């Protein structure tokens, strides 16, 4: 069991070893350099006049297209706050957690950074993210946020970040397949029994009934976990009837040929491109971001989306990103930037432009996109029932135990009972340390 567990000591050791190959700052191995054009005209004018100016650094991990509006907002912030200069650094999504961990070990961190929602609590527990509870409470805006995104920024009843953009999972379905088979589309009041029946019925020689990522990574956990939740279990109750029901259902789909065997190594983007978008799968456990993928790459696909089938509940996990403050040196300036980017108007503009859902309920309420769009409006409804993974500072280790469990079952290496007993024992050891 011990061989499977990742420890903080190993992580810090890795970070320290990697530092030997880095120079200067924690951003030395990130993609790109300080972005041009992020110094506002007012800030430049003040600097030329020799006035005092606070310089803060912000890292982000979103794509260049998504970052265009973010950088424009930062320019606007500097024009409104000529005493603050913001330097930005683009870091690849797959690299940002590692680079932040290196920065913690080297004491070389940005003032502010975007992070994956699931990592916010980890950095809080590590003592790397700043406690901003007093600022958040004085701001008074978090009451306008959906519950799940807000929870992802909270650790031990204190706040260590602000939700910035959100997404969640639901079920996409191919309307043409349902039409050809004479089947009614799934509706928001469907149950697990309906889900099982439709998955079986829509499996033919031409297409599978369902696609979901079963890869051994956080993405696989992201897809498997909602079914564990829907059956009334969670990461700390894996050795339970609910968890067994969930994993048994997934395994039955897999072994009966209702799902492609290749899903054990597919990400969501992979399965969307190769199975769902090509008409080889009638349904798909799909993140809201895949709507953008389909519109860009398969605009003629006739599809819909429905909230998860209901068993004991219809829970979905949230994804997305939070903004963390990583240094105390320029606390006031950093918080001003965080507030500006997280305002209702800016949250709505950024999330609409980038293809996300705003974590702010008041921003969503003012958006015709999230309220009226036939796809995104369903994801917005699903977000109201969503939950944060964990939140727990050792979530990567917990997630790894879940990944071993479902992969062992799907490969035939272990029974559902044995795999979940072992995963439960591992998680119990992880959270007791």
């Amino acid at each position: 069991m011990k061989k499977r567990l990742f420890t903080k000591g190993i992580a810090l050791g890795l970070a320290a070893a990697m530092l030997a190959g880095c120079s200067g700052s924690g951003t030395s191995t990130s993609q790109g350099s300080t972005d041009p054009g992020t110094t506002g005209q007012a800030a430049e004018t003040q600097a030329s006049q020799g006035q005092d100016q606070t310089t803060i650094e912000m890292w982000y991990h979103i794509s260049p297209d998504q970052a265009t509006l973010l950088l424009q907002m930062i320019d606007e912030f500097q024009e409104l706050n000529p005493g603050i200069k913001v330097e930005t650094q683009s870091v690849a999504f797959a690299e940002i957690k590692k680079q932040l961990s290196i920065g913690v070990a080297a004491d070389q961190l940005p003032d502010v950074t975007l992070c994956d929602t699931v990592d916010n609590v980890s950095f809080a527990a590590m003592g790397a993210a700043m406690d901003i509870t007093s600022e958040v409470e004085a701001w008074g805006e978090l009451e306008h946020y959906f519950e799940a995104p807000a929870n992802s920024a909270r650790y031990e009843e204190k706040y260590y970040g602000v939700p910035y953009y959100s997404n969640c999972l639901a079920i996409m379905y191919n309307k043409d397949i349902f039409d050809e088979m004479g089947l009614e589309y799934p509706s928001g009041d469907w149950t697990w029994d309906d889900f099982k029946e439709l998955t079986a019925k829509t499996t033919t020689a031409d297409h599978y009934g369902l696609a979901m990522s079963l890869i051994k990574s956080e993405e696989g956990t992201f897809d498997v976990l909602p079914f564990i939740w829907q059956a009334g279990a969670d990461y700390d109750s894996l050795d339970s009837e609910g968890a067994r029901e969930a994993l048994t259902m997934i395994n039955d789909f897999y072994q009966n040929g209702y799902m492609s065997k290749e899903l054990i190594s597919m990400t969501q983007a992979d399965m969307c491109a190769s199975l769902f978008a090509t008409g080889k799968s009638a349904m798909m456990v799909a993140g809201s971001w895949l709507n953008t993928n389909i519109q860009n790459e398969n605009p003629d696909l006739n599809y819909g989306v429905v909230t998860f089938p209901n068993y004991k509940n219809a829970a979905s996990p949230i994804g997305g990103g939070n903004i963390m403050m990583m240094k105390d040196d320029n606390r006031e300036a950093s918080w001003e930037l965080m507030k500006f980017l997280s305002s209702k108007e800016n949250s709505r503009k950024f999330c609409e432009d980038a293809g996300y859902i705003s974590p702010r309920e008041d921003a969503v309420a003012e958006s015709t996109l999230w309220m009226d769009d036939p796809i995104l409006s369903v994801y917005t409804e699903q977000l109201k029932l969503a939950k944060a993974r964990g939140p727990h500072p050792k979530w990567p280790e917990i997630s790894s135990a879940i990944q071993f469990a479902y992969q062992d079952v799907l490969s035939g290496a272990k029974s559902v009972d044995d795999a979940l007993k072992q995963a439960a024992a591992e998680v119990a050891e992880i959270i007791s340390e």
Side-chain angles (χ1 to χ4, degrees):
M1 184 188 305
K2 288 284 189 180
K3 293 180 180 179
R4 290 187 178 181
L5 306 183
F6 297 95
T7 66
K8 186 183 295 183
I10 293 174
L12 291 176
L14 174 61
M18 293 178 68
L19 278 169
C22 301
S23 61
S25 71
T27 60
S28 59
T29 58
S30 61
Q31 294 184 351
S33 58
T34 301
D35 295 293
T38 58
T39 302
Q41 182 177 359
E44 291 178 354
T45 300
Q46 186 179 42
S48 67
Q49 294 173 347
Q51 298 178 29
D52 290 340
Q53 190 177 53
T54 299
T55 298
I56 60 175
E57 183 178 14
M58 177 176 177
W59 291 3
Y60 62 89
H61 58 253
I62 53 181
S63 71
D65 287 343
Q66 292 171 326
T68 299
L69 182 57
L70 171 66
L71 297 177
Q72 290 173 0
M73 288 180 175
I74 290 175
D75 275 343
E76 181 184 353
F77 170 78
Q78 292 176 118
E79 290 172 5
L80 294 171
N81 298 271
I84 304 173
K85 176 183 177 183
V86 183
E87 295 180 346
T88 58
Q89 179 71 43
S90 173
V91 185
F93 178 81
E95 292 291 314
I96 193 161
K97 183 177 181 179
K98 179 172 68 177
Q99 292 303 320
L100 288 170
S101 297
I102 291 172
V104 171
D107 195 23
Q108 295 174 335
L109 290 164
D111 297 274
V112 176
T113 187
L114 295 186
C115 70
D116 192 346
T117 53
V118 79
D119 294 329
N120 200 162
V121 167
S122 296
F123 282 106
M126 195 187 302
M130 296 293 104
D131 176 0
I132 57 171
T133 305
S134 59
E135 286 87 351
V136 167
E137 290 179 347
W139 183 40
E141 292 289 305
L142 220 60
E143 65 185 42
H144 301 301
Y145 282 67
F146 289 103
E147 182 179 358
N151 285 342
S152 72
R154 186 164 56 222
Y155 175 61
E156 294 185 342
E157 305 305 317
K158 295 181 179 180
Y159 287 100
Y160 292 86
V162 176
Y164 189 52
Y165 61 90
S166 294
N167 55 53
C168 61
L169 297 178
I171 305 290
M172 284 187 180
Y173 57 94
N174 186 310
K175 290 184 175 181
D176 287 341
I177 290 177
F178 276 75
D179 290 343
E180 289 167 7
M181 298 187 70
L183 297 171
E184 292 186 4
Y185 303 150
S187 59
D189 60 352
W190 64 330
T191 66
W192 265 28
D193 287 340
D194 298 327
F195 178 53
K196 293 175 183 178
E197 182 179 356
L198 278 177
T199 299
K201 279 186 176 180
T202 53
T203 298
T204 70
D206 297 321
H207 45 72
Y208 298 99
L210 181 68
M212 61 184 290
S213 177
L214 297 168
I215 194 170
K216 188 181 177 297
S217 73
E218 183 62 30
E219 199 158 356
T221 303
F222 198 62
D223 277 25
V224 170
L225 191 59
F227 295 104
I228 293 175
W229 286 343
Q230 289 157 28
D234 207 337
Y235 71 88
D236 56 357
S237 56
L238 293 173
D239 187 12
S240 66
E241 184 59 29
R244 284 189 285 274
E245 284 184 274
L247 192 49
T248 296
M249 179 177 70
I250 293 169
N251 188 48
D252 285 347
F253 289 168
Y254 189 80
Q255 304 304 339
N256 290 335
Y258 302 163
M259 298 194 293
S260 169
K261 295 296 189 290
E262 295 178 2
L263 290 168
I264 203 165
S265 59
M266 281 189 173
T267 65
Q268 284 208 28
D270 293 337
M271 70 179 183
C272 181
S274 64
L275 292 172
F276 186 73
T278 58
K280 295 179 182 177
S281 181
M283 295 183 289
M284 173 175 66
V285 177
S288 48
W289 61 90
L290 293 180
N291 184 53
T292 303
N293 292 26
I294 294 171
Q295 290 180 344
N296 290 339
E297 299 166 15
N298 303 88
D300 296 328
L301 187 66
N302 185 21
Y303 68 103
V305 65
V306 63
T307 52
F308 271 111
N310 198 342
Y311 182 26
K312 295 181 179 177
N313 57 67
S316 173
I318 64 156
N322 293 356
I323 312 178
M324 292 190 298
M325 187 188 300
M326 305 297 287
K327 290 164 65 174
D328 228 355
D329 302 4
N330 302 306
R331 190 180 186 97
E332 184 175 349
S334 297
W335 176 242
E336 288 301 317
L337 176 62
M338 293 172 69
K339 281 197 303 182
F340 177 81
L341 294 176
S342 301
S343 71
K344 179 172 67 173
E345 180 182 1
N346 283 338
S347 177
R348 179 184 58 76
K349 288 195 299 185
F350 172 77
C351 291
E352 283 186 340
D353 183 78
Y356 297 117
I357 303 171
S358 171
R360 296 188 61 130
E361 289 188 87
D362 54 357
V364 167
E366 293 184 0
S367 168
T368 56
L369 174 65
W370 295 313
M371 299 302 290
D372 299 339
D373 183 88
I375 301 297
L376 293 180
S377 62
V378 178
Y379 278 107
T380 301
E381 285 301 308
Q382 184 71 81
L383 188 62
K384 296 175 182 177
L385 303 174
K387 295 173 58 176
R389 287 160 285 166
H392 196 282
K394 295 183 179 179
W395 181 254
E397 297 98 312
I398 293 169
S399 178
S400 180
I402 296 171
Q403 293 160 32
F404 272 106
Y406 66 72
Q407 286 240 323
D408 282 347
V409 169
L410 297 174
S411 67
K414 286 187 173 67
S415 68
V416 170
D417 282 353
D418 289 345
L420 288 174
K421 284 182 185 297
Q422 181 166 346
E426 291 181 1
V427 170
E429 184 171 350
I430 291 166
I431 63 181
S432 68
E433 291 177 346

